[in-house]
Structures are given as C-alpha cells and as structure tokens.
Amino acid sequence: MTMSSTHSLLQALQTERGRSQMFFKSALTALSHALEDIVLAGDDQPLVIANFQNERFYQKEVRRYERISKLTNHVYILAAPESESGFAVNSGLYETVPLADHDALAQEWHLVIISARFAGCLICRELPSSSSVIDQARRFEGFWGFDRQVCLQAAQLLLQWIVEYRPELKQKVNNALTTYQINAGGLSTNASPSDLNDSSIFGQRLMTYLQASQYKLLKAYRALDEKSQKEQLINVVTTAIRRSLEPEEVLKTAVIELGQVFQHCRCILYRCHLTDTQVMIDYEANCSETSSLKGRPWSLTDNPLIQVALSQERATVISNVAEAPVINSHGHLKAVIEELQIQSWLLVPIQYQGSALGMVELHYCGPAPHRWKEGEISLVEALATQVGVALSQADMFTQSAALNQQLQALERTQQNLINIVGHELRTPLSTIQVCLESLDSEPEMELDIRKIMLETALGDAARIRKLVSDFLLLSRLESQPASLQVEAIEFEEVLELAMSGIKADGAEKPEIRTQIQSDMPSIDVDGDGLVEVLSKLLDNACKFTPATGCISVHAEVQDQSHSDLESTMLAVTVEDTGRGIAPEQLKTIFNSFYQTEDYLRRSVGGAGLGLSICRQLITAMDGEIWAESDGVNQGSRFQFRLPIEHSKSYAMSK
C-alpha cells in the first residue's frame, strides 16, 4: 500500500506543546535510558513504543529492549530498515515495524511509555546538519515530559500508524488500546506512592548519565589539553631547530620548555654515548624546592638505570624508587637518590637511527611517589625524538662544515703543490738543460768550465731528487701509520750525522754550536727518523740565517708529570738568529707547503715540506714539536720533546 509521508508525530503534537526545545543526541540518550530504566525497575506491564529512525541506531539498544520485552507483551519498535536486514521479518518477543525511507517518522526519535504507575514520552525530530558532524553532536528539536494526556495522544497516533504498516497487528493494537484505556482517556491519573519512586529512579538515572557524559567530556578535554601541550612543546623545539643549528641552543630551549610543563620535577638533559663514564650537567630546569645538579658531574657507569635506559628505545619508568630492586641493591645509587630526594624517576634516551645521543631525565621530588601518566611519558618521548633529530642535524652540519674546510684546504694544497713544485722543478731543470746543451754544443770548452757545468747540473739534479724524496716521505707518513725502527741510540751520534749532511753541502753556513747534557742516557727512538728531523731543522735554520749569524742546538733530559704518571723526556731546541717568524704564523708553519713568503717572490727555495715532515715523525715517536719567536728579524726557536722509553705498540714494529 502507498504510505503517506506526513507521519510526523512532532508536528501532530505541536499544537499541544507549543514551542519545541533543542537537544543534542547525548542528552536524548540520557533521557531515553532514564525512562527505560523506570520500566525495568517496575513490575507492571506497560505499553512501550520506540522509534529509532534507522535500524542501525536500534541495533545498539537491542539488549535493553529484550529485557523490557520480558516484562510486557506490548513493545513496538519502529525504524527504517537497513538493506538486506532481517528487521522487517523479525518475529521475536516484540514487534518490529519497518518504516519507509520517505516517511517523516524515519527522521524522528520517539519513546512513549504508558503504564498504571506513570506515563512518559520523548518526541523529537532530527535537524539537518552536515554529513561530517560527529554522532554525539547531532541536533534534535522536540519535547519530553510526563503529561499523561500528551503521552496517550502520542501512543494513539503511533499505534494507528503501526496498523497502517502492519495490518496483521490490528487485533493486538486494539487489545493495547483497550488494556491501557487509550481511547477512553487512559488509566487512572491519581498519583500513588510508586509514582514518587518512579520519579526518584528517573532523576537518579538521568543524573548518572549526565555525570557519565560529563566525565567523558572532561576526559576528552584533558586529552585535548595534553595533545595541545605536547604539540606546543614540540613546536617550540622544532622552531628552535629551524632557527639554529647550534646544539647548545636546542638543548637549552628543550630543557626550559620541559621545565614549564613539569614544574614540580627536576628536569635535566645531557649529551652522552654508550661508552661515556661521566657527563657534566649543563642543561637543567629545576623548581626552587629541590637542589640543583647544574655544573655537577653525573656518573653514568655507577647508575644501572642510565645504562638500561641508553640501551633501549623506550622510556624507563620508575613510579616509586623506594620499591625498585635495582636501586635497593646498589648502595651508591641509593645514596644519590636520598641526597637528591628523588621519589619517582623517568629516563628517556635521546636517539637517532638507533644511536644514543643523550638522555632526558625527570626527577619527581615531591612528598610522595608520582605515578607517571602515559601522556607524560609520550610527551617526553616526543621531545627526546625531536632533540635527537636536532642533535643529528647539528652534528651533520658541523661535520659538513669541517669537511668543507678540509676540501678547501685540500684545494689550496693542490694549488700550492702545482705552483711550488712547478717553480722548484722548473728552475733546476732549466739549469741542467742549459749546462748539458752547453757541454754538447761546445766540445772544445775549457776543462774548468766543463767541470763547473757538470757540478751545477749534478747539484740541481740532487736538489730535484731531494724534493721528490720529501714528497714520497710526507705522502707515506700522512697515508699510513709510521713503521718505526726503534732502537737504543746516543743522541750525540744522531746529531753528528745530521750536522755532517749540512756541512757536506759545501755552501757557506752560519756557525752551529751544540750544548748537550754531559750524562745524556741512551734513547729509544727511530734513529733515521730523528736524523731526518734534526737535518731538516738545521737546514731550515741555515736557510733563514745569514752566514754571519749563529745556530745553537741544546739537548737535555727532563722529568715531567702527567696525570700521576712520571715520564722522562728528551728536550731538544734548535735556535737561530735569523729572520724570525711572525706571531700569526707560528701555528701554521708546520702545515704542508706552507711558506712565509709568496712562492714567486721568496728569497729562499724549498717546497715547504720540511717542517710538516718533522711534525709527522715527532708525532709518530710519541713526541711533540712547536716553534717560538719574538717576531720578525729576531730569530726563532724550534723545540721538540721525545720520551726516553716508548710504551706504544708501534714501537715494537721492526
């Protein structure tokens, strides 16, 4: 049969009730459940008619209506059925009435109850809204109350429409009309003691549902607040990361923001690695009631909690340190906790791609232990993740900057190599070529001149050979650890070998004076390496000291203390009265290819490799070398120290 689309109960009763109220779904749910609970609390057999709009909403209340149907035979459920559902043919304990989709009842929510004790109704219609609105925020207009005449009128209309949809229920509906005296004005409306009980039940149930809804709302607000707090903290740290790639700035900002959130805790943040034994606390946010750790050393190896926390990705949570077995069994850690008044402890590792970069610690120092909430833990973990990213970015930036500097230095070295080597090779090669061409073209050249030509060519050839030898030696020293031939030697013998090489040059040299300790013991060094160092230092001094100047070599044994360890060192000084060194050049003269003059305008030859070779050799022998000078034209002093006895493993390579 063709059904009318004007089955609107709210519209039919509008003239009786006047202006409707506005409701959200959560309020209507509380009202309908409270009304249903009055039925469940009684022992009479009421008439119950419920319209759920759509079958999917009814399915949430099936169990409640199964309980109600055990109390009365007159339960009628109206709803627009879902496709392919069994709602239309349901023949259970109560009657189901499938509504047509276009029927106005499919947009209304009704609950009508008629009994001897009371009558109540809830009549509402859903208002149009966007499809994205959440379920509990759906809005309705209508009314509810306990006016028996309105309830009887609503029941009469609904029963009439039920018969239209399901004619086979006509006899049962007529029975309901008679039983509950709906056509005759209803059952007795005189109040009875049970009516007061019903009102009490309704009020209690309604308050329970409202309190439950309020609790859920507060819980949702707390969740939103925690989420907002977490997002704000992360945004602040992220902004600091974007604003600065300095790790100190990021860590400082992170610990300040952490302290704002956890104001009753001592918050510390530090960088460390798994192999570190101790760190210094530089970043702390602390309430005034607890002692500060800033500027104090913080042991890592003596704290098993930190070791555990660094080895895992999740937070280490201790709500009550007094009950933690690992703390009670560790005397030193227990003493630290008592001193710092730590009641509860939260440790979150700072990691990036599985590598430990640091730690965030929260110490709760209140009067009683604190149970860490999941939101607090996730907040600190999110902060640690952001800090880990920031530290990794800062480290990569630092490494990139250092690598860039190395590349620039390499480019300068390559350019210097091309310029200096080209200059140093071109001059002697030109001389050799001129001498050989002269000897070839002038067969009748006088013997003395031929001898000079040959000596000049041989000298420049030796110069080239020495230059190539220096290149090969420096390359070997820089590319791989030096393989030293350590042996016990006398320093005077080494110095004599170095000085003989200088004197063999034949050119006019300044005077070389020596002052060596009379009781100098034998030293364990690489003899060839030490000869090479002394030769180059003396050769360098001769180059920059006029023949009228003076060079002195001083050597003695010194006793030194380093970290409670006594060591005996050979101290050697090569001093000259020559050109001297500008203060800003003292740290760079040991670099490869470095020269105090431009290679095109310098007055002394050389590739700038001698001092670099000296540094490599002295370092390989576990020593140190440096230069001193009072300034330009005031001479210079090159000093180095070597241990008398070696203990390094390379000293055994022979």
Side-chain angles (χ1 to χ4, degrees):
M1 61 183 295
T2 303
M3 305 302 301
S4 171
S5 62
T6 59
H7 290 157
S8 173
L9 185 60
L10 179 63
Q11 186 176 355
L13 299 176
Q14 199 85 44
T15 55
E16 299 288 337
R17 297 292 302 179
R19 188 175 179 180
S20 301
Q21 291 180 284
M22 194 76 67
F23 301 95
F24 286 105
K25 183 191 173 182
S26 56
L28 294 183
T29 302
L31 286 170
S32 61
H33 283 184
L35 289 170
E36 291 161 1
D37 285 342
I38 296 178
V39 175
L40 292 171
D43 55 1
D44 53 354
Q45 299 179 2
L47 167 67
V48 179
I49 307 173
N51 175 19
F52 284 96
Q53 298 177 273
N54 195 289
E55 183 184 353
R56 69 177 182 273
F57 303 135
Y58 149 74
Q59 293 294 343
K60 301 176 182 178
E61 305 293 335
V62 168
R63 291 187 178 180
R64 292 180 66 84
Y65 278 86
E66 286 178 349
R67 291 172 58 197
I68 292 174
S69 65
K70 294 178 181 179
L71 302 176
T72 176
N73 294 326
H74 290 284
V75 178
Y76 302 89
I77 307 297
L78 293 81
E82 297 287 342
S83 60
E84 301 181 359
S85 73
F87 183 77
V89 295
N90 191 340
S91 58
L93 299 174
Y94 46 83
E95 303 296 343
T96 56
V97 181
L99 300 175
D101 292 336
H102 58 270
D103 196 327
L105 284 176
Q107 299 300 320
E108 295 185 348
W109 180 344
H110 308 314
L111 176 60
V112 178
I113 301 173
I114 306 293
S115 74
R117 293 182 300 130
F118 82 102
C121 65
L122 171 62
I123 312 297
C124 289
R125 175 177 58 197
E126 185 168 6
L127 295 173
S129 60
S130 63
S131 58
S132 61
V133 68
I134 62 175
D135 186 58
Q136 294 300 318
R138 290 160 55 203
R139 296 185 305 161
F140 295 78
E141 64 172 349
F143 62 88
W144 67 278
F146 299 100
D147 188 321
R148 179 172 287 273
Q149 294 303 319
V150 174
C151 295
L152 290 172
Q153 196 172 356
Q156 184 178 13
L157 288 172
L158 287 174
L159 289 172
Q160 176 184 336
W161 294 335
I162 288 172
V163 173
E164 289 185 23
Y165 273 100
R166 293 190 59 187
E168 69 274 17
L169 295 179
K170 184 175 181 179
Q171 183 61 41
K172 186 173 183 179
V173 168
N174 289 335
N175 185 27
L177 292 171
T178 302
T179 301
Y180 301 102
Q181 303 178 16
I182 294 176
N183 292 329
L187 302 175
S188 175
T189 59
N190 295 326
S192 65
S194 61
D195 291 328
L196 298 177
N197 293 336
D198 294 340
S199 299
S200 175
I201 292 172
F202 177 81
Q204 291 175 0
R205 295 302 300 175
L206 182 58
M207 182 59 68
T208 300
Y209 284 116
L210 291 176
Q211 287 179 333
S213 298
Q214 186 67 20
Y215 172 77
K216 292 179 181 178
L217 188 61
L218 291 175
K219 186 176 181 180
Y221 283 157
R222 283 196 297 268
L224 288 173
D225 184 59
E226 291 176 356
K227 184 178 180 181
S228 175
Q229 194 177 58
K230 178 179 178 180
E231 290 179 350
Q232 181 181 1
L233 178 60
I234 299 306
N235 287 338
V236 170
V237 176
T238 304
T239 302
I241 294 172
R242 293 175 178 174
R243 186 174 61 245
S244 173
L245 284 173
E246 292 293 334
E248 294 77 11
E249 182 68 23
V250 174
L251 296 176
K252 182 179 178 181
T253 301
V255 79
I256 290 175
E257 294 300 323
L258 196 63
Q260 293 293 328
V261 178
F262 299 93
Q263 297 184 1
H264 300 292
C265 295
R266 179 192 296 111
C267 307
I268 61 175
L269 195 155
Y270 51 86
R271 300 194 68 175
C272 67
H273 297 89
L274 289 173
T275 56
D276 292 341
T277 60
Q278 180 176 282
V279 295
M280 191 68 67
I281 303 300
D282 295 325
Y283 307 98
E284 178 191 52
N286 191 19
C287 59
S288 58
E289 299 176 357
T290 58
S291 58
S292 174
L293 285 175
K294 191 170 185 179
R296 290 178 55 179
W298 191 239
S299 177
L300 305 183
T301 54
D302 291 339
N303 192 329
L305 294 179
I306 296 178
Q307 297 300 313
V308 171
L310 284 174
S311 63
Q312 61 185 14
E313 296 181 359
R314 289 276 302 172
T316 299
V317 183
I318 300 180
S319 297
N320 189 348
V321 297
E323 298 177 355
V326 67
I327 294 175
N328 293 326
S329 62
H330 198 285
H332 175 75
L333 181 58
K334 189 174 182 180
V336 170
I337 290 173
E338 292 176 354
E339 176 193 355
L340 300 178
Q341 300 178 336
I342 302 175
Q343 294 282 359
S344 304
W345 209 329
L346 178 62
L347 302 94
V348 180
I350 301 173
Q351 295 184 336
Y352 184 75
Q353 294 184 347
S355 300
L357 302 177
M359 182 73 72
V360 179
E361 291 190 34
L362 267 63
H363 305 161
Y364 183 79
C365 305
H370 172 71
R371 184 175 181 84
W372 300 103
K373 300 177 183 177
E374 186 63 32
E376 294 174 332
I377 299 171
S378 63
L379 177 63
V380 181
E381 287 180 335
L383 173 75
T385 299
Q386 290 297 316
V387 173
V389 173
L391 293 180
S392 177
Q393 289 179 350
D395 290 343
M396 287 189 289
F397 177 78
T398 302
Q399 294 173 4
S400 177
L403 181 60
N404 191 35
Q405 291 178 353
Q406 293 175 2
L407 290 174
Q408 291 177 353
L410 180 60
E411 290 179 359
R412 290 194 299 268
T413 300
Q414 290 176 338
Q415 189 61 40
N416 289 335
L417 175 63
I418 294 172
N419 295 335
I420 294 173
V421 172
H423 180 77
E424 288 297 318
L425 290 178
R426 180 178 58 192
T427 301
L429 285 174
S430 298
T431 303
I432 292 172
Q433 183 178 6
V434 169
C435 291
L436 293 178
E437 288 177 350
S438 299
L439 290 172
D440 182 61
S441 60
E442 299 291 339
E444 297 180 358
M445 184 183 297
E446 294 182 6
L447 184 60
D448 291 342
I449 298 177
R450 290 174 63 87
K451 184 178 179 181
I452 293 173
M453 291 286 186
L454 285 172
E455 289 177 352
T456 301
L458 290 173
D460 283 341
R463 178 179 170 185
I464 293 174
R465 185 176 65 252
K466 184 176 181 299
L467 179 63
V468 173
S469 177
D470 285 347
F471 273 125
L472 295 175
L473 176 59
L474 182 62
S475 176
R476 179 171 59 83
L477 290 173
E478 291 183 343
S479 63
Q480 59 185 5
S483 180
L484 304 179
Q485 301 294 325
V486 178
E487 56 185 341
I489 60 174
E490 300 294 333
F491 178 77
E492 289 187 73
E493 296 179 2
V494 174
L495 181 59
E496 285 296 330
L497 288 173
M499 292 179 61
S500 63
I502 298 297
K503 295 176 181 178
D505 188 1
E508 187 177 5
K509 299 285 192 305
E511 179 185 3
I512 300 177
R513 301 173 182 174
T514 60
Q515 184 179 356
I516 303 174
Q517 184 176 325
S518 59
D519 55 346
M520 177 78 70
S522 299
I523 55 177
D524 292 335
V525 295
D526 177 27
D528 292 338
L530 185 55
V531 170
E532 187 74 26
V533 170
L534 290 171
S535 298
K536 292 193 178 301
L537 291 178
L538 290 172
D539 180 62
N540 191 70
C542 291
K543 284 181 181 179
F544 296 99
T545 304
T548 56
C550 179
I551 300 173
S552 62
V553 180
H554 179 270
E556 64 177 354
V557 174
Q558 297 178 348
D559 293 329
Q560 296 184 340
S561 298
H562 295 284
S563 303
D564 300 330
L565 295 177
E566 296 292 336
S567 60
T568 304
M569 308 290 288
L570 168 67
V572 179
T573 302
V574 177
E575 185 175 3
D576 62 64
T577 58
R579 183 179 299 176
I581 307 169
E584 65 273 9
Q585 296 177 329
L586 289 174
K587 292 184 178 180
T588 56
I589 59 174
F590 289 96
N591 295 341
S592 300
F593 304 107
Y594 182 83
Q595 294 186 331
T596 57
E597 298 176 310
D598 184 86
Y599 74 95
L600 292 177
R601 295 191 298 270
R602 68 183 191 272
S603 57
V604 178
L609 301 178
L611 293 180
S612 180
I613 292 174
C614 290
R615 182 179 61 180
Q616 294 284 348
L617 288 170
I618 292 296
T619 302
M621 289 186 282
D622 203 18
E624 57 181 343
I625 185 170
W626 69 96
E628 296 176 351
S629 178
D630 295 330
V632 178
N633 297 322
Q634 298 190 55
S636 58
R637 294 177 299 281
F638 287 87
Q639 302 182 62
F640 65 84
R641 282 198 292 258
L642 292 174
I644 296 295
E645 296 181 357
H646 281 267
S647 60
K648 285 191 173 183
S649 59
Y650 67 73
M652 301 302 296
S653 61
K654 295 186 178 181

